[in-house]
Amino acid sequence: FNKILKVYFTPKAATTLLASNRALQLAEKFNIAAPPEIISETTYLFTYENKHLTVSLDTSNFIYTNATTSAKPSLEKDEATVANFKNLLINLGLLKEELAKGPTKLYRPDAQISQISIWPEGVENMPIITADSNKALVSATTLHSAKEISDILSLDYTFWPIDTKTFATYPSKNVTSAFDELKAGRGLVILSSDQARISITQIYLGFYQSKEYSPYLQPVYVFQGSGFIAIVPAITT
C-alpha cells in the first residue's frame, strides 16, 4: 500500500436565494402541486396526496416517498431497469457524471419491486464506500420497470461533490496496525457475519462517504471476508 495518501476536499454549498426555487422546481418534477412547509431555514417539506418530499436547501439532497402503488410484475431485465432508473435521474437533472460512471446494485425482493443503488465513481481507482454495503447514498425503491416518475416508491438522494484538485497528503497507517484496531472494535462494520470466526480474504483501500456531510473525503482500509466487510481509517493524524 502507498505510504502517502490523499485526503480530498468535499465542498458544501451555502443556502442562497436560488435554493428555494430549486426546491420548488424539484417538487414540480415529482408532480407535487403544493407549497412547502418550512421546517427550518434549510429544510422544506412538500406534501401532496400520498407524496412527501423533504429537501435540504443548502445541499439540494432530498428524500422522496410515494405511498400510491399499482403493483404489477416487471418484465425488464436487471440491466434495463437500472438503465431506466438512470434515465429518470437524467430527466430530473440528478444524474451527476460521477454517478453515471459509478457502480450499481439491484435487488428484487419480489416480482413487483426493485431496490436500486448507485455509487459514485471511485477516485484514483479506489472505490467509494458507504455505511451499508448494499445501499448507496443514492438509492431507490421502484415499481415495474422504473420508467416513470410514478414508478418510484422512494428515492433517497445524497450526493457529495469531490474536489479532486484540492487535497492534502498524510502518512498512511500500517495495515497491521489498522487490523489490530479492527480486532479491538475500533473499526466500522458495514456488513456483519453471524459466523463465530471470520476469515479476511481481501484488504484494499477505499474512500468513505457518510450520509452526514464531512468536509473531507478520507481513505480507509477495507477488510473483507465471506459475508463480512469492515473499514478502518487509513491515515495517521
Side-chain angles (χ1 to χ4, degrees):
F1 297 105
N2 296 336
K3 294 183 178 181
I4 299 293
L5 295 173
K6 294 178 181 177
V7 174
Y8 291 95
F9 177 58
T10 304
K12 181 182 180 182
T15 303
T16 67
L17 295 176
L18 297 177
S20 59
N21 288 334
R22 288 197 298 267
L24 292 169
Q25 291 168 3
L26 180 65
E28 290 178 1
K29 291 177 180 179
F30 281 107
N31 300 318
I32 296 177
E37 176 185 353
I38 301 175
I39 304 300
S40 71
E41 292 182 354
T42 59
T43 305
Y44 277 7
L45 171 62
F46 297 86
T47 302
Y48 181 69
E49 296 177 341
N50 291 317
K51 303 172 185 177
H52 300 272
L53 175 67
T54 303
V55 184
S56 172
L57 299 183
D58 55 350
T59 65
S60 295
N61 293 330
F62 65 88
I63 297 175
Y64 168 79
T65 59
N66 179 9
T68 303
T69 62
S70 56
K72 63 181 180 181
S74 171
L75 302 178
E76 299 278 12
K77 295 182 179 179
D78 290 0
E79 296 82 0
T81 299
V82 171
N84 292 340
F85 177 62
K86 285 187 173 182
N87 284 333
L88 274 182
L89 292 183
I90 291 173
N91 294 334
L92 292 168
L94 298 171
L95 190 66
K96 309 292 186 181
E97 182 179 355
E98 297 91 330
L99 295 173
K101 296 180 179 179
T104 62
K105 182 176 288 188
L106 182 145
Y107 166 67
R108 294 188 192 271
D110 58 44
Q112 287 79 35
I113 294 176
S114 298
Q115 295 175 349
I116 307 169
S117 281
I118 303 178
W119 281 263
E121 180 185 26
V123 179
E124 292 191 346
N125 296 317
M126 294 163 57
I128 302 297
I129 308 297
T130 52
D132 187 334
S133 64
N134 292 312
K135 186 177 181 181
L137 299 184
V138 175
S139 63
T141 301
T142 71
L143 289 171
H144 318 326
S145 54
K147 287 183 177 179
E148 308 292 338
I149 292 292
S150 57
D151 289 342
I152 299 179
L153 296 180
S154 67
L155 174 53
D156 194 335
Y157 186 95
T158 299
F159 177 80
W160 303 122
I162 302 166
D163 182 356
T164 56
K165 296 181 180 179
T166 304
F167 59 87
T169 57
Y170 292 87
S172 63
K173 186 180 299 178
N174 182 282
V175 67
T176 302
S177 299
F179 188 49
D180 289 339
E181 289 183 28
L182 177 62
K183 291 188 291 184
R186 297 200 296 272
L188 175 64
V189 176
I190 62 176
L191 179 62
S192 59
S193 173
D194 55 4
Q195 298 179 10
R197 296 178 63 86
I198 298 169
S199 177
I200 301 298
T201 56
Q202 285 184 281
I203 303 174
Y204 54 93
L205 286 166
F207 286 101
Y208 177 70
Q209 273 195 336
S210 169
K211 188 174 178 61
E212 303 301 322
Y213 172 72
S214 171
Y216 304 107
L217 181 71
Q218 298 194 33
V220 293
Y221 283 114
V222 184
F223 296 90
Q224 189 167 330
S226 178
F228 176 84
I229 303 175
I231 60 174
V232 174
I235 59 172
T236 58
T237 56

